[in-house]
């Protein structure tokens, strides 16, 4: 049985007239177990009457557009086969080939069942089907998401996960089609998106992964796809808790300014808000393994006289509608500047990490647009923030893009003729954070 705990870090003292309360809530899950495949016997069809809320469904969607011709296609086929080997027996699964249209590779298109439960025979047949994939056509990722959503909709799985791989731009449809499809499927399944090589667009895949509670990353070399796919499937199968909500209660008359995941990655949850009751907001966080995630919660309350105290927020962890853990965010008004001027180390650290992610992304966007002045300022600020927050990985990646003259002041010069893969690696890793160092 999974257990959750929540710990709050904040400076609860506000100056006279102060209204904004910031806290870092660290949530830990232990005993999550592994993702179950309850209710479907190996070899059985995955139909709506298969039963069992513990079921897990996994889909692998591989780009089969013409740009994948050659090494990328062969590596992707090998990776898909490796992923199939990592899917445990009993797990519902399917394979999709994606170009300007989406095709169900396995179960075969003429099969009467949309997804099947993994077992040795299905595994071997899926690999045989994968080996027949070939590259042709354009790229319309909205069709891949639509087919995945349609397949997932046929099964009763509590946990649904898609791995999506592409090597190119979404060039065979208007961008609004992809945006609309992302909106349509949000909340239906989680998606980890991967781009291989340097011809895909980080922003496109980030839109998908952010909305669908997943990750985006660069696979620089085709030969690395298999290892990445295998790791993604193992990570998915380690998530023994299918769905967790972070709930924030705030008193009447207050305002929840934002809720952001700040570790292990920056992910703004604010726009995903659902109403639990008039004073409580729910924010979906997806499936969990044994892990710790940190959240930055900001609430604006009405100012009160010096000496007053109040509960600014109650942050709860809910699984299946049942609250498993909670933490209290407090506010105390004081005229003692030694108390009110203190900044919580946790809040300061993660505020810097979130700004770091924005500075990197904005700096790279300015560089791509030819605005070298803005790019230099933004990436210089990123160098400064990476040093201040101890993000050595970001510092290392930034040094491939800029010459650092003064790290503490953020004085840099743009390098000429930087490798596009280095810029993409910096962009995709920009949201990955380091944890605050606690004594």
């Amino acid at each position: 049985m999974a257990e959750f705990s929540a710990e709050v870090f904040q400076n609860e003292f506000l100056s006279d007239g102060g209204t904004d309360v910031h806290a870092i809530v660290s949530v830990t899950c232990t005993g999550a177990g592994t993702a179950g495949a309850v209710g479907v016997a190996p070899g059985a069809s995955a139909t709506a009457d298969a039963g069992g809320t513990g079921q897990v469904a996994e889909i692998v969607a591989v780009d089969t557009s013409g740009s994948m011709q050659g090494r990328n296609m062969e590596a992707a086929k090998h990776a898909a086969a490796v992923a199939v080997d990592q899917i445990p027996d009993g797990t519902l699964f399917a394979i999709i080939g994606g170009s300007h249209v989406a095709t169900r590779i396995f179960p075969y298109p003429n099969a009467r069942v949309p997804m099947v439960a993994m077992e040795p025979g299905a595994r071997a047949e899926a690999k045989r089907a994968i080996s027949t994939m070939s590259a042709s056509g354009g790229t319309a990722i909205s069709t891949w998401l639509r087919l995945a959503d349609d397949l997932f909709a046929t099964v009763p799985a509590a946990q649904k996960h898609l791995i999506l791989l592409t090597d190119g731009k979404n060039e065979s449809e208007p961008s609004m089609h992809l945006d609309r499809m992302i909106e349509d499927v949000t909340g239906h399944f989680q998606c980890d998106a991967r781009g291989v090589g340097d011809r895909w667009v980080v922003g496109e895949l980030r839109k998908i992964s952010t909305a669908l509670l997943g990750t985006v990353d660069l696979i620089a070399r085709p030969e690395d796809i298999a290892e990445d796919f295998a790791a993604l499937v193992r990570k998915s199968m380690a998530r023994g808790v299918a769905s967790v909500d972070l709930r924030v209660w705030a008193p009447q008359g207050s305002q929840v300014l934002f809720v952001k995941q700040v570790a292990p990655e920056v992910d703004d949850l604010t726009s995903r808000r659902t109403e639990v009751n008039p004073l409580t907001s729910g924010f979906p966080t997806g499936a969990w393994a044994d892990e710790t995630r940190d959240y930055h919660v900001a609430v604006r309350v009405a100012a009160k006289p010096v000496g007053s105290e109040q509960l600014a927020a109650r942050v709860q962890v809910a699984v299946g509608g049942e609250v498993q853990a909670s933490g209290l965010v407090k506010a105390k008004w004081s005229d003692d500047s030694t108390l009110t001027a203190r900044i919580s180390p946790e809040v300061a650290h993660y505020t810097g990490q979130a700004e770091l992610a924005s500075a990197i992304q904005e700096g790279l966007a300015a560089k791509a647009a030819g605005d070298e002045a803005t790019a230099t300022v933004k990436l210089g600020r990123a160098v400064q923030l990476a040093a201040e927050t101890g993000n050595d990985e970001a510092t290392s990646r930034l040094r491939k893009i800029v010459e650092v003259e003064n790290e503490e002041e953020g004085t840099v010069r743009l390098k000429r003729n930087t490798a596009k893969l280095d810029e993409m690696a910096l962009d995709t890793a920009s949201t990955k954070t380091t944890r605050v160092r606690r004594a």
Side-chain angles (χ1 to χ4, degrees):
M1 179 73 176
E3 294 184 359
F4 285 85
S5 60
E7 190 174 7
V8 176
F9 302 91
Q10 67 165 132
N11 176 16
E12 57 197 39
F13 290 98
L14 296 177
S15 58
D16 187 15
T19 60
D20 293 357
V21 183
H22 291 260
I24 299 299
V25 182
S26 187
V27 178
T28 299
C29 175
T30 57
T34 57
V38 178
V40 178
S45 64
T47 57
D49 62 356
T53 58
Q55 287 178 269
V56 178
E58 189 80 29
I59 294 177
V60 178
V62 174
D63 189 342
T64 57
S65 65
S67 62
M68 287 285 288
Q69 190 75 43
R71 286 178 63 211
N72 282 0
M73 190 72 254
E74 292 308 309
K77 287 158 67 173
H78 172 62
V82 169
V84 165
D85 277 335
Q86 297 294 323
I87 298 174
D89 284 358
T91 303
L92 308 172
F93 82 105
I95 309 295
I96 290 174
S99 58
H100 58 284
V101 294
T103 303
R104 192 182 70 198
I105 303 298
F106 188 84
Y108 294 111
N110 60 355
R112 291 184 298 173
V113 292
M115 299 183 73
V116 297
M118 181 63 79
E119 46 85 24
R123 184 175 286 110
E125 205 57 40
K127 289 182 179 181
R128 190 173 298 114
I130 290 167
S131 70
T132 67
M133 291 194 301
S134 60
S136 65
T139 305
I141 298 177
S142 71
T143 66
W144 314 0
L145 296 177
R146 168 56 68 200
L147 179 55
D149 193 46
D150 289 345
L151 296 178
F152 281 136
T154 67
V155 299
Q159 184 172 321
K160 301 173 181 179
H161 179 245
L162 170 68
I163 297 173
L164 185 152
L165 174 76
T166 185
D167 78 333
K169 301 177 182 178
N170 192 51
E171 57 192 2
S172 299
E173 62 178 349
S175 60
M176 68 180 70
H177 286 190
L178 179 58
D179 292 343
R180 191 178 305 122
M181 187 57 62
I182 293 171
E183 184 177 348
D184 286 347
V185 304
T186 293
H188 297 182
F189 56 89
Q190 290 187 239
C191 175
D192 288 307
R194 295 293 183 265
V196 60
D198 63 3
R199 293 182 294 184
W200 58 284
V201 179
V202 175
E204 285 181 349
L205 293 196
R206 180 176 283 132
K207 280 194 298 187
I208 296 170
S209 64
T210 298
L212 304 184
L213 302 177
T215 60
V216 61
D217 215 339
L218 164 71
I219 304 176
R221 306 180 307 164
E223 53 266 37
D224 294 332
I225 302 173
E227 181 180 349
D228 192 273
F229 270 32
L232 284 174
V233 174
R234 288 195 298 268
K235 184 176 179 180
S236 176
M237 295 303 147
R239 295 173 180 145
V241 184
S243 180
V244 178
D245 285 340
L246 195 74
R247 293 180 175 180
V248 179
W249 172 93
Q252 191 165 3
S254 64
Q255 177 189 2
V256 177
L257 298 175
F258 62 78
V259 176
K260 298 178 182 178
Q261 178 182 292
V262 288
E265 294 192 358
V266 176
D267 188 5
D268 194 340
L269 308 182
T270 311
S271 63
R272 301 176 193 158
R273 176 190 176 277
T274 59
E275 184 177 295
V276 178
N277 59 52
L279 297 182
T280 306
S281 301
F283 302 89
T285 66
W288 281 61
D290 286 355
E291 58 183 306
T292 297
R293 303 183 196 178
D294 293 344
Y295 298 90
H296 187 170
V297 177
V299 179
R300 179 167 292 163
V301 297
K304 292 196 172 183
V306 169
S308 301
E309 299 182 13
Q310 80 164 80
L311 183 62
R314 181 183 295 109
V315 181
Q316 300 174 322
V317 181
V319 181
E322 296 293 326
V323 174
Q324 302 290 321
S326 64
L328 304 181
V329 180
K330 301 174 182 178
K332 298 180 180 180
W333 283 265
S334 173
D335 56 7
D336 184 345
S337 61
T338 62
L339 295 176
T340 60
R342 287 188 323 209
I343 299 176
S344 161
E346 291 78 11
V347 171
H349 175 83
Y350 287 126
T351 298
Q353 292 274 281
E355 186 185 348
L356 170 61
S358 296
I360 289 172
Q361 292 171 26
E362 291 168 8
L364 290 174
K367 184 175 185 294
D371 184 353
E372 293 191 358
T374 299
T376 301
V377 170
K378 292 291 185 180
L379 294 176
R381 177 58 175 157
V383 166
Q384 187 180 37
L385 288 164
E388 289 175 358
T389 58
N391 195 326
D392 295 335
E393 181 180 350
T395 296
S396 177
R397 294 185 187 279
L398 280 161
R399 286 181 177 274
K400 295 180 180 180
I401 310 302
V402 297
E403 296 282 357
V404 179
E405 296 180 353
N406 188 311
E407 193 173 68
E408 290 185 0
E409 296 180 3
T411 307
V412 304
R413 288 182 292 108
L414 297 180
K415 287 185 175 181
R416 301 297 172 186
N417 303 315
T418 54
K420 187 176 181 182
L421 280 174
D422 287 337
E423 294 185 9
M424 295 175 75
L426 175 62
D427 195 353
T428 55
S430 63
T431 57
K432 296 176 182 175
T433 58
T434 57
R435 291 200 179 279
V436 65
R437 298 187 179 112
R438 298 187 179 112

